[in-house]
Amino acid sequence: MTDETGETDPQTAIDSVAGNRDDRVYEYSAGDEQEGIPFVGAGPGNPRLLTVAGRELLADADLVVHAGSLVNSELLEEYCDDAETVSSIGKDLEELIPLMRDAYEAGDTVVRLHSGDPAIYGAALEQMDALEHEGVPTYIVPGVTSAFAASATMRTQLTLNEVANHVAFTRPQGKTLDEDEDHISEFVGMGDVTTCIYLGTHAVSETMDRLLEDGHDPETPVAAIYHASWPDEDVIEGTIETIGEKLEDAGYRASAMVVIGDAVGGEDYERSFLYGDWANRGSDADSQEADD
């Protein structure tokens, strides 16, 4: 996969992806051992939140290309002692693809380590398509995304009966998202949605100002969880009206998960049907059928 100058051209691979479903979709499930370079989700930060599959792959790796400071160094120290580790920060696809391809073709066991889960704002697919175009097989190993770590830290659920029936994973407008692609206000306006904002710590004040301008309740609960599950984790609680100033006072400009909605406080929810009368009626019905 090279251009007329002989340089690696990942865009060619991205542009040439066919619409046909890969046969491996029907041959393997998530967690299965496969051939190729795994794209592993490192989880939110705490090394104990790495999956078993991820830990096993890192233990056998010769080369781990990781997401720099987005991956907790403790995880690298604990699970990558015997591997060469290379940060992907500051490297473009034209450098990353040959690095992983050449190591794999030389017989090394290569792992690409993303923060959180590769499926959420991970930019994994463009790397995988580029490697596949070079004849290097790839696959994904899921990880725990930061929204789930934030929920666990807050000791609540992202969905709660009669409080939040939906969850939105989103990011605010900025360099990579136009104003008309920012749907945060729409999600918050639905009322029963827990809105989880990734990659937006730097823009929290502006985002909250827009929500206020759109007429949303200023008392709507908001939490910002900095470095969820890391040793320096910090939880900042507030409302649409107050969270921006609180976060600015704390000095965080990145690496915080912002969660908006009534589920943040874990209050005023209703007992679920799962362990209530519905479950008992199911048992009674089964018993009745048995009696009949």
Side-chain angles (χ1 to χ4, degrees):
M1 179 188 57
T2 58
D3 59 18
E4 61 274 9
T5 67
E7 297 296 323
T8 297
D9 180 22
Q11 189 61 50
T12 300
I14 296 171
D15 293 339
S16 65
V17 173
N20 295 327
R21 180 66 70 183
D22 193 306
D23 288 341
R24 288 170 295 182
V25 169
Y26 311 106
E27 297 172 2
Y28 298 100
S29 298
D32 288 350
E33 292 186 12
Q34 299 185 45
E35 179 185 356
I37 296 178
F39 279 62
V40 176
N46 190 316
R48 295 184 66 229
L49 295 180
L50 178 69
T51 65
V52 172
R55 182 181 64 192
E56 292 174 349
L57 288 164
L58 289 176
D60 292 336
D62 298 308
L63 172 65
V64 176
V65 180
H66 61 87
S69 61
L70 297 177
V71 174
N72 190 348
S73 60
E74 293 180 4
L75 185 149
L76 298 175
E77 293 168 2
E78 186 166 348
Y79 298 126
C80 304
D81 272 350
D82 298 328
E84 177 187 0
T85 58
V86 176
S87 171
S88 62
I89 301 299
K91 294 180 175 61
D92 57 22
L93 289 180
E94 286 75 8
E95 186 174 358
L96 284 173
I97 300 309
L99 170 67
M100 293 186 284
R101 177 202 63 204
D102 292 349
Y104 181 80
E105 291 180 347
D108 289 341
T109 302
V110 181
V111 172
R112 178 66 168 105
L113 188 63
H114 275 249
S115 59
D117 183 289
I120 305 295
Y121 298 118
L125 194 59
E126 61 196 63
Q127 300 170 68
M128 297 172 67
D129 284 342
L131 285 165
E132 296 276 350
H133 200 74
E134 294 273 3
V136 178
T138 62
Y139 61 101
I140 292 174
V141 177
V144 178
T145 188
S146 58
F148 298 155
S151 173
T153 287
M154 296 293 293
R155 304 180 70 85
T156 187
Q157 297 178 197
L158 298 179
T159 60
L160 279 173
N161 193 35
E162 299 299 324
V163 174
N165 295 309
H166 314 281
V167 180
F169 290 169
T170 187
R171 60 185 302 182
Q173 62 192 52
K175 292 182 178 178
T176 58
L177 198 71
D178 293 335
E179 182 177 349
D180 60 355
E181 296 173 322
D182 182 332
H183 301 296
I184 294 174
S185 184
E186 296 169 45
F187 296 140
V188 174
M190 293 177 184
D192 63 343
V193 177
T194 302
T195 304
C196 302
I197 303 177
Y198 289 73
L199 306 172
T201 312
H202 64 288
V204 168
S205 290
E206 295 90 331
T207 299
M208 298 303 136
D209 286 344
R210 287 196 298 273
L211 293 178
L212 292 173
E213 290 171 3
D214 288 345
H216 295 294
D217 184 355
E219 295 303 313
T220 301
V222 183
I225 299 86
Y226 171 76
H227 264 178
S229 85
W230 292 55
D232 59 346
E233 175 187 83
D234 192 10
V235 178
I236 301 171
E237 298 180 83
T239 64
I240 287 178
E241 187 172 43
T242 65
I243 194 67
E245 183 176 351
K246 288 185 176 183
L247 198 55
E248 287 184 0
D249 289 344
Y252 302 132
R253 297 287 296 171
S255 303
M257 166 58 58
V258 179
V259 185
I260 306 173
D262 290 332
V264 167
E267 302 170 353
D268 299 325
Y269 65 92
E270 298 292 332
R271 180 174 176 174
S272 72
F273 292 109
L274 184 60
Y275 303 112
D277 292 340
W278 176 81
N280 293 331
R281 283 199 300 271
S283 299
D284 291 343
D286 291 343
S287 298
Q288 184 64 42
E289 288 179 5
D291 293 340
D292 292 343

